[in-house]
Amino acid sequence: MAAIKAEPFAFPVKYDQLALIVIDMQRDFAEPGGFGASLGNDVSRIGRIVPDVRRLIQGFRYAGLPVIHTMECHRPDLSDLPPAKRNRGNPVLRIGDEGPMGRILIRGEPGTAILPELAPINGEVIIEKPGKGAFYATGLGEILQQKGIKQLVFAGVTTEVCVQTTMREANDRGYECLLAEEATESYFPEFKAATIAMIRAQGAIVGWTAHVDDILESITHA
Ligand code: C5J
């Protein structure tokens, strides 16, 4: 059986059931003036993974494997934004407020868009999600089922929030999950490291982790 070099042991890949899911590579998390910055984070860390995320996306496209993109965003009338989420903490700008890139995390606003270098192409699925996990209040589960996808490679941000939440949701739903280490990032390097460690601990209790080069090398055989 084909395998991707991974931790804590080789990932038993089935190319006909494999997709890449790129979580929330949006301007709001990567650029000054967006949601991430409004929470006081150094957003420059996020931009540094763009070349590796791009390599991964291009590798999946070249191999003819599905690429799915997610975006954390809300309806303009905020009807899908629980007060508990909007009112949390003490950000400079709250979700829905007008910022330098438009309204924070609102569908269709410039700041909510996926970074141009990583923009979806025709035919790729885009999941707009109101939560941290991509299965909550979206059609992701049905779409994966229709496409026969049972294995997910994860990239995107932030490692310990939307990426990890979605991996855990997927793991509980029976998907085999592999996190691409250089293609994910956190505002907190120690949280990224801890997430990678906890995902693959206890015999891959949530999933596997692998280097981008090893994933790309494997999918050339797809
Ligand atoms: C956060 C995300 N960190 N995409 N969202 O609020 O991880």
Side-chain angles (χ1 to χ4, degrees):
M1 177 185 287
I4 299 175
K5 184 168 178 267
E7 295 289 344
F9 52 87
F11 182 80
V13 65
K14 298 175 193 119
Y15 298 117
D16 59 343
Q17 300 177 9
L18 185 71
L20 172 66
I21 182 160
V22 184
I23 305 285
D24 301 359
M25 287 301 296
Q26 297 163 247
R27 297 182 64 201
D28 253 320
F29 295 108
E31 294 185 17
F35 184 58
S38 85
L39 294 166
N41 296 304
D42 169 12
V43 294
S44 65
R45 301 186 57 81
I46 306 302
R48 283 185 224 132
I49 66 163
V50 168
D52 278 314
V53 179
R54 192 173 152 83
R55 281 192 319 127
L56 206 48
I57 290 174
Q58 286 176 333
F60 270 74
R61 284 177 184 157
Y62 190 73
L65 299 175
V67 178
I68 297 165
H69 306 258
T70 73
M71 300 171 67
E72 183 174 348
C73 60
H74 295 273
R75 296 187 193 125
D77 66 3
L78 307 185
S79 57
D80 59 355
L81 175 61
K85 182 174 180 185
R86 177 168 156 84
N87 298 334
R88 188 79 48 82
N90 194 22
V92 178
L93 293 167
R94 292 188 187 279
I95 297 171
D97 288 350
E98 192 71 41
M101 297 191 288
R103 293 180 69 200
I104 298 282
L105 282 190
I106 297 300
R107 181 186 291 174
E109 296 288 334
T112 308
I114 292 174
L115 294 167
E117 305 93 310
L118 307 177
I121 60 172
N122 272 349
E124 289 178 351
V125 171
I126 304 168
I127 300 290
E128 295 184 329
K129 63 184 183 64
K132 303 304 183 193
F135 287 85
Y136 167 67
T138 73
L140 179 60
E142 289 75 24
I143 289 169
L144 296 178
Q145 217 166 4
Q146 279 161 17
K147 292 182 177 291
I149 293 164
K150 297 187 176 135
Q151 297 187 326
L152 292 167
V153 171
F154 280 80
V157 296
T158 58
T159 317
E160 79 283 8
V161 184
C162 291
V163 176
Q164 182 173 206
T165 302
T166 305
M167 275 189 92
R168 287 177 182 274
E169 286 181 328
N171 189 46
D172 282 349
R173 286 165 173 77
Y175 295 92
E176 290 177 309
C177 301
L178 174 66
L179 177 61
E181 293 187 33
E182 300 85 358
T184 184
E185 195 48 273
S186 168
Y187 301 120
F188 306 93
E190 67 276 24
F191 289 175
K192 174 176 174 176
T195 302
I196 287 172
M198 71 176 81
I199 279 170
R200 66 191 188 197
Q202 304 179 75
I205 198 152
V206 178
W208 288 254
T209 72
H211 295 296
V212 168
D213 282 344
D214 291 324
I215 298 168
L216 289 175
E217 196 283 321
S218 174
I219 64 172
T220 59
H221 307 292

